[in-house]
């Protein structure tokens, strides 16, 4: 396999460990994938292997149709979800799926997360919609997620969890973290009498500012996105 595949595997392994230690998933649930730059290949975490026991050899390389190209393990059961997002969104370099608590609470309530915090808006692109219910691991769930996602960078899966995407694995992880935090803040604000939502013009301006002038020049280009 190529250097690009090996490099992508290292990135996926590292971010999967951070996802687990940040408490965004429990046990072996949740999954992460990344597009291999310049190749029609994707690296995805395996099904049912705990994150603290996972190593590079456990990761699976698949093509756009889900055919395993390298690896001994079975890919994540949500592989259809990941591949459907890559097909629908050319800008997606990585996809992360978590079961974090407050995002899941909104997904159970069937409520989208309105744009309530500036970091949420900058990273997730505004409101986080809720996809209609579909069973985990099915093509139906993949279709429901893509349908609700549109141009947002995160989508809640009804009665299930959250999916975040980014240009890099780091960005997909930050999207999931920030959406979980915003979901928690939104839940608390609702208990305190109601959440004030950021107006649409301001949402657009914040997102635009983030895409054009946030951080240090060249950081994203080197794939080392750090908000
Ligand atoms: Zn799940």
């Amino acid at each position: 396999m190529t250097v690009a595949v090996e490099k992508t595997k290292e990135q996926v392994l590292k971010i999967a460990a951070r996802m687990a230690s940040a408490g965004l998933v429990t046990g072996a649930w949740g999954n992460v994938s990344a597009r291999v730059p310049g190749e029609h290949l994707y690296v995805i975490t395996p099904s049912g292997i705990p994150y603290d026991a996972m190593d590079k050899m456990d990761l699976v390389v698949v093509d756009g149709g889900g055919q395993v190209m390298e690896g001994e393990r079975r890919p994540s059961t949500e592989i259809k979800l990941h591949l459907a997002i890559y097909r629908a969104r050319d800008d997606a370099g990585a996809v992360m799926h978590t079961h974090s608590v407050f995002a899941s609470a909104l997904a159970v309530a069937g409520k989208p997360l309105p744009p309530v915090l500036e970091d949420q808006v900058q990273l997730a692109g505004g409101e986080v919609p809720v996809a209609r219910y579909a069973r985990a691991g099915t093509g139906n769930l993949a279709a429901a997620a893509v349908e609700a996602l549109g141009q947002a960078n995160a989508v809640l899966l009804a009665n299930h969890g959250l999916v975040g995407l980014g240009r890099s694995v780091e960005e997909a992880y930050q999207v999931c973290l920030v959406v979980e935090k915003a979901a928690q803040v939104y839940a608390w604000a609702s208990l305190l009498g109601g959440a004030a939502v950021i107006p649409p013009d301001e949402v657009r301006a914040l997102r635009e500012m983030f895409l054009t002038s946030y951080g240090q020049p060249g950081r994203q280009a080197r794939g080392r996105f750090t908000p």
Side-chain angles (χ1 to χ4, degrees):
M1 277 285 163
T2 64
V3 174
V5 169
E6 289 308 307
K7 214 176 144 193
T8 307
K9 278 187 186 174
E10 282 159 22
Q11 291 170 348
V12 168
L13 190 65
K14 261 191 212 160
I15 215 76
R18 286 172 69 195
M19 171 182 81
S21 59
L24 295 178
V25 292
T26 46
W29 272 273
N31 29 76
V32 191
S33 69
R35 209 190 275 273
V36 179
E39 300 185 35
H40 297 292
L41 295 172
Y42 305 85
V43 172
I44 188 163
T45 47
S47 177
I49 310 260
Y51 292 99
D52 57 3
M54 192 181 291
D55 75 27
K56 224 165 107 177
M57 298 291 285
D58 293 317
L59 298 175
V60 186
V61 181
V62 296
D63 67 9
Q67 178 87 28
V68 174
M69 307 303 283
E70 186 193 313
E72 301 298 314
R73 304 292 191 182
R74 280 196 345 220
S76 163
T77 54
E78 293 297 3
I79 187 166
K80 287 181 181 145
L81 172 70
H82 289 251
L83 294 176
I85 292 173
Y86 291 119
R87 272 195 294 275
R89 293 281 297 270
D90 282 346
D91 60 328
V95 175
M96 181 176 282
H97 165 51
T98 72
H99 290 179
S100 62
V101 175
F102 283 85
S104 297
L106 282 178
V108 167
K111 291 193 170 163
L113 173 64
V116 288
L117 288 173
E118 55 104 34
D119 51 3
Q120 170 211 345
V121 166
Q122 291 188 341
L123 272 160
E127 177 173 284
V128 180
V130 190
R132 60 180 164 78
Y133 179 80
R135 194 178 307 150
T138 61
N140 193 17
L141 178 68
V146 164
E147 190 181 290
L149 180 67
Q151 290 306 304
N153 288 338
V155 60
L156 298 163
L157 308 176
N159 302 87
H160 184 167
L162 170 69
V163 180
L165 63 94
R167 292 166 291 183
S168 61
V169 289
E170 178 68 29
E171 194 172 42
Y173 170 65
Q174 295 294 339
V175 165
C176 290
L177 268 185
V178 115
V179 168
E180 173 59 15
K181 187 197 75 168
Q184 185 166 2
V185 168
Y186 177 58
W188 284 113
S190 301
L191 289 174
L192 290 168
V197 170
I198 301 173
D201 281 358
E202 188 60 15
V203 166
R204 276 191 292 275
L206 283 166
R207 176 71 179 151
E208 190 56 31
M209 194 178 81
F210 175 74
L211 288 175
T212 55
S213 53
Y214 192 85
Q216 301 302 315
R219 303 256 314 157
Q220 180 60 33
R222 295 205 305 272
R224 290 187 48 80
F225 172 86
T226 309

